[in-house]
Amino acid sequence: MKSVIKIISELIRNANLMIRLAFYDIKSQYTMHHLGILWQFLNPAIQITVFWLIFGIGFRSGQPVNGFNFFPWFIVGIIPWFFINPSIIQGSNSVFKEIKLVSKMKFPISILPAKSIVGNAFNFLILLIIMVVILYTNGIRPSIYLLQLPYYVFAMLLFIYATTLLFSTFSTMVRDFQQLLSSSMRMLFYLTPILWDASQMPGKLNNLLQLNPFYYIISGFRDTFLYKEWFFDDVITTLYFWFVTLILLYVGSKIHLKFRGKFVDYL
């Protein structure tokens, strides 16, 4: 547990630096673009439109899902993924990408994966507000279940950080890992109930798919905004998710602290 406590203390002590670096990355990323930061919203909008046309209009012919129109049902699932996917891909590559900067400045490397997450969190917050507006215009009103949204956001943030802390170490030492991760994330997109309805899956297959932690997060957002179910209604799945998350955080912290003094050697 000492390794986990050390990593968390580093994040707390360097929170201001982490936020400043995240703002700098966002600003520099779109400096040479005419539309600038608008691309953070145009890219998701284009992807949403394509998926909606193919899966909502094409495959489903506009049929509702569990009493909800496909578009709002789909939006609730895809918005968290637009945060999860880039945060894991970028966070896992953050140490290798910024290792030269770290060698010249004195700050803990553990904040680099978190910096990527913070940078994507600003975009996620705006998309979340847009999602609420879309739901409202489709007759889906906020309810008391919205109180559990901070829980699912926290669960998502901690899982992403635990994953990227571990994966950033692997990616720095073995560059092929980053390519494998990118391919795996594309596969996990289709194995997560974003485009398909989990209730339509056979019981055994659905139980197997629930081993994917992203399943818990996406389902949690739909339970909060659409299905009106509390996170503690499914105790077994909740305990499984937190077990996986805490194991990842523990292992990631141990391996990160063990190898981070040697990261420069892998350049």
Side-chain angles (χ1 to χ4, degrees):
M1 284 298 294
K2 289 183 180 179
S3 57
V4 175
I5 294 173
K6 183 175 182 179
I7 292 294
I8 293 176
S9 64
E10 288 178 351
L11 293 179
I12 295 173
R13 288 198 308 268
N14 295 275
N16 290 333
L17 174 62
M18 184 170 57
I19 294 172
R20 289 201 304 271
L21 289 172
F23 268 117
Y24 175 78
D25 282 352
I26 294 173
K27 185 177 179 180
S28 61
Q29 184 179 0
Y30 298 99
T31 299
M32 302 302 294
H33 295 74
H34 291 295
L35 296 179
I37 201 171
L38 282 176
W39 278 111
Q40 285 206 331
F41 309 105
L42 288 176
N43 282 328
I46 293 170
Q47 293 182 60
I48 287 172
T49 301
V50 171
F51 283 126
W52 176 61
L53 289 174
I54 294 174
F55 293 95
I57 304 300
F59 287 116
R60 298 190 59 86
S61 301
Q63 295 180 358
V65 182
N66 291 333
F68 297 97
N69 291 332
F70 179 83
F71 187 68
W73 178 88
F74 168 64
I75 283 290
V76 176
I78 197 70
I79 293 301
W81 184 259
F82 282 148
F83 174 64
I84 292 170
N85 185 58
S87 294
I88 290 182
I89 297 294
Q90 295 168 18
S92 298
N93 196 44
S94 60
V95 173
F96 181 84
K97 181 181 177 183
E98 305 286 357
I99 194 64
K100 291 183 179 179
L101 175 65
V102 174
S103 64
K104 298 176 182 178
M105 299 176 61
K106 290 186 177 180
F107 62 83
I109 302 177
S110 59
I111 74 171
L112 293 178
K115 173 181 70 76
S116 300
I117 296 171
V118 171
N120 287 302
F122 297 123
N123 183 44
F124 172 68
L125 180 61
I126 300 300
L127 290 177
L128 196 62
I129 294 173
I130 294 173
M131 182 189 77
V132 172
V133 173
I134 291 174
L135 294 179
Y136 192 86
T137 57
N138 280 268
I140 302 171
R141 303 292 186 260
S143 67
I144 192 174
Y145 293 88
L146 200 61
L147 292 174
Q148 70 181 357
L149 180 61
Y151 162 78
Y152 280 112
V153 171
F154 174 74
M156 179 173 62
L157 290 173
L158 188 60
F159 177 79
I160 292 173
Y161 180 71
T163 302
T164 53
L165 184 65
L166 177 62
F167 287 178
S168 61
T169 303
F170 292 159
S171 183
T172 301
M173 296 188 296
V174 183
R175 287 306 295 162
D176 290 339
F177 181 83
Q178 190 67 25
Q179 295 297 324
L180 176 63
L181 176 63
S182 297
S183 299
S184 299
M185 291 301 292
R186 285 193 291 270
M187 179 183 68
L188 284 170
F189 173 76
Y190 294 101
L191 293 178
T192 305
I194 298 171
L195 298 169
W196 46 271
D197 180 14
S199 65
Q200 300 300 314
M201 289 291 174
K204 291 183 179 180
L205 177 59
N206 197 30
N207 291 336
L208 181 63
L209 291 172
Q210 288 187 48
L211 296 176
N212 169 13
F214 301 140
Y215 187 113
Y216 179 79
I217 295 171
I218 300 301
S219 297
F221 271 78
R222 288 209 173 107
D223 288 342
T224 299
F225 287 99
L226 302 178
Y227 298 142
K228 309 284 191 296
E229 295 182 8
W230 295 108
F231 70 90
F232 47 77
D233 288 341
D234 190 350
V235 177
I236 295 177
T237 305
T238 298
L239 290 177
Y240 166 77
F241 172 83
W242 284 108
F243 174 78
V244 172
T245 299
L246 294 177
I247 288 295
L248 284 172
L249 182 60
Y250 175 75
V251 174
S253 300
K254 293 282 287 187
I255 294 179
H256 174 85
L257 292 174
K258 180 178 180 180
F259 289 101
R260 72 179 180 182
K262 304 176 182 178
F263 284 156
V264 179
D265 299 336
Y266 291 96
L267 289 178

